[in-house]
Structure formats: structure tokens, C-alpha cells
Amino acid sequence: MNNLLSILDLTTEEIDELIEKAQDIIAHPDYYHEKCKYKKLATLFFEPSTRTRLSFEAAMLDLGGKVMGFSEAQASSAAKGESVADTVRTVGCYVDIIAMRHPKEGAPLVASMHAGVPIINAGDGGHNHPTQTLTDLLTIKCEKGRLTNMTIGLCGDLKFGRTVHSLIEAMSRYEGIKFILISPEELKLPNYVKQEILDKKGIEYEETRDLIEAMPKLDILYMTRVQRERFFNEEDYIRLKDSYILTPEKMTYGKESLTVMHPLPRVNEISVAVDDDPRAAYFKQVSNGKFIRMALIMKLLNIK
């Protein structure tokens, strides 16, 4: 594997290997402190990011490497009209690996054809965000001890949420997975995702608008934001928005072993009062993002 552009670039064996490596990094951080000494990572972020950019930088620094790059397009020659191809070809002369976020779908694929060094897609528009999916998988493995035989509830914006689509794509490769899709009618999972992934693989799923009804069945609850701007009228939004705010009262319907996840940033879809519940794992996800990216950087640089 020379680049990571989509979660589909990885076999399940490679995903399991990355997760195992990340768990070893968590257990033995000191062992990895100089694994990337003298290596350089460029973070080319053509649109804003907090968690993803900083976790890549923290990952490389914790491996003993160095980081350079920019955090918005205006801070680069893209502001002068330079193409993505020329930018990465230039940056590839200075670094060993590039993590890139771009608002245009397919931009990291173009970059991978010109950079001369490994490219990691750190998000391209509404298309792919494979390292977020790896973060989610590591979190599930750490919390549950497995990636098989569980019921996953996906709640909120299932129509436009790239993290939801990628997680379905990844988890559908593992045995015994069932999905409960919790959303308003306006934000249901697109038919093409259901047909091309769930139906094609014979994966069990159900759709509901009722979060409380679904709660007792879930091993994982993956929350996303219900986006006001996706509704055609304000009345529908007002009628539905509170259905998908996770509160301590709604948590009483969940199993003691439930794990609550969220790709962040959140707005108001999880009450801050839930943060102290031991079943809340969304800030653990943030930490896990650094460890899985450390494992990925080492794999792409062929560092054993």
C-alpha cells in the first residue's frame, strides 16, 4: 500500500494489522518515540480542521519526526492559482509523506499521481475520510474487544454524513453486524448505500425515527448532527431536532455495556451532561485518532 485514499484501499487484514499496531503503541508509547526520527510529514489542509490536522501533527511528533505545512488554502500558493498537482510535486521534494485535506472530491487521488511520496487523504469534500473510519474502528475494538457480532445504531444525518457511509462500508466486512438507522425521513441513508453495501452483502438493518425505541438493542450508538440547513422548512426541523439530542434520560434506555461515539464536532446533539457517563467514548475517539495515525504513518513509510 503506497497511499490511503479510501477505506476500501485496505483489506480487513490490513485494518486489523493497523488496529493491532495502534493498540501496541497505546500500551508501549516509549518504544515508538524515535521510529520516524529524521522523517518529515507535510500537512496540506486546503480547508480548516482542528482534530484531524492536530492529530496528524501529534502523531508524527510522537514518532520523533517533524511536521511542516499549512492550515488553509490562503496560506499556500493555491491562493495564487497553483494546481494541486504542482503543490504536491513541490512539497514532495521536501518531505517523506503528506496528509492532505481538500474541499474537492478526488483531489487526494490527483495528488497521489504527482507527489512522489505517500499521500493520506485527510478528507476530500463529502467523499472520503478514511482515517476517521480507522479511528472509529480502533475505538470500537478498544471498547468492545471485537469488530464482529454487534448491533450499531447510526443516528442523525445519515444522508450527507461521510463518516456514517464510510463506517457502514468498513463494518459491513465483519461477521454478525446489524445496523439500526435512526433518522428523520429527510435525512435517511441514501438508497445507493443500502443497495450497494447492505443489500448486496445481505446485512441486516432496520430504519426508525425513534431513538428511544432503538436504544435497548444497541451495542454502539454513533451520533451525528441533524443539520438545520438540510430541511426544506423550519417547522419540520423544530418538530424533529429534539428527538436526536442524546440526554442522560435517554441514556437510561441503553445497555450498561453501550458505547456512545461521535466523530465531532458536536453542536447540541449530545448533552454535555452525558460526557461523564462511562459509556461516552467520543473523547476517547479523539485520542485514538492519534494512535491509529501513528500506525498508518509507520506502515506507509515501511517502518517496522
Side-chain angles (χ1 to χ4, degrees), residues 232-250:
F232 292 113
N233 62 71
E234 186 75 2
E235 291 78 17
D236 281 347
Y237 172 75
I238 291 169
R239 175 172 53 83
L240 292 167
K241 67 181 176 73
D242 289 341
S243 305
Y244 304 105
I245 296 176
L246 188 63
T247 61
E249 192 270 330
K250 287 175 185 163

Side-chain angles (χ1 to χ4, degrees), residues 117-230:
V117 298
I119 294 285
I120 302 172
N121 180 4
D124 59 333
H127 192 222
N128 274 303
H129 194 354
T131 59
Q132 178 63 53
T133 307
L134 287 172
T135 298
D136 296 342
L137 295 176
L138 173 60
T139 302
I140 293 170
K141 185 68 181 288
C142 287
E143 295 300 306
K144 298 299 185 192
R146 67 188 192 280
L147 291 172
T148 56
N149 302 311
M150 66 182 78
T151 299
I152 301 172
L154 302 165
C155 180
D157 177 4
L158 309 188
K159 184 174 183 179
F160 300 101
R162 65 185 174 192
T163 56
V164 165
H165 301 172
S166 292
L167 187 61
I168 289 173
E169 220 163 39
M171 289 301 295
S172 66
R173 300 183 188 184
Y174 292 90
E175 290 182 6
I177 299 299
K178 175 184 176 180
F179 292 103
I180 299 182
L181 309 172
I182 309 154
S183 72
E185 190 69 26
E186 295 86 343
L187 296 175
K188 285 172 69 173
L189 190 72
N191 284 329
Y192 75 87
V193 178
K194 287 184 270 193
Q195 291 164 3
E196 292 176 15
I197 302 173
L198 300 177
D199 294 337
K200 186 178 283 187
K201 295 187 176 182
I203 292 165
E204 191 180 348
Y205 68 93
E206 61 182 86
E207 295 180 285
T208 180
R209 298 170 74 153
D210 192 331
L211 174 57
I212 289 176
E213 178 193 46
M215 286 290 283
K217 309 173 190 176
L218 303 179
D219 299 301
I220 302 278
L221 173 59
Y222 195 94
M223 293 294 295
T224 65
R225 181 168 65 96
V226 173
Q227 300 171 82
R228 180 182 225 137
E229 61 270 24
R230 304 300 188 189

Side-chain angles (χ1 to χ4, degrees), residues 26 54 56 66 87 99 162 173 183 227 236 264 282:
I26 292 168
L54 293 181
F56 268 113
K66 298 188 184 304
T87 297
R162 65 185 174 192
R173 300 183 188 184
S183 72
Q227 300 171 82
D236 281 347
L264 301 180
Y282 31 92

Side-chain angles (χ1 to χ4, degrees), residues 254-288:
K255 298 176 183 177
E256 281 188 26
S257 60
L258 176 69
T259 296
V260 179
M261 298 171 61
H262 191 305
L264 301 180
R266 69 172 162 188
V267 181
N268 66 344
E269 59 278 1
I270 300 178
S271 163
V272 293
V274 174
D275 292 357
D276 293 329
D277 190 304
R279 295 171 289 179
Y282 31 92
F283 288 110
K284 292 179 187 173
Q285 268 174 281
V286 175
S287 294
N288 287 336

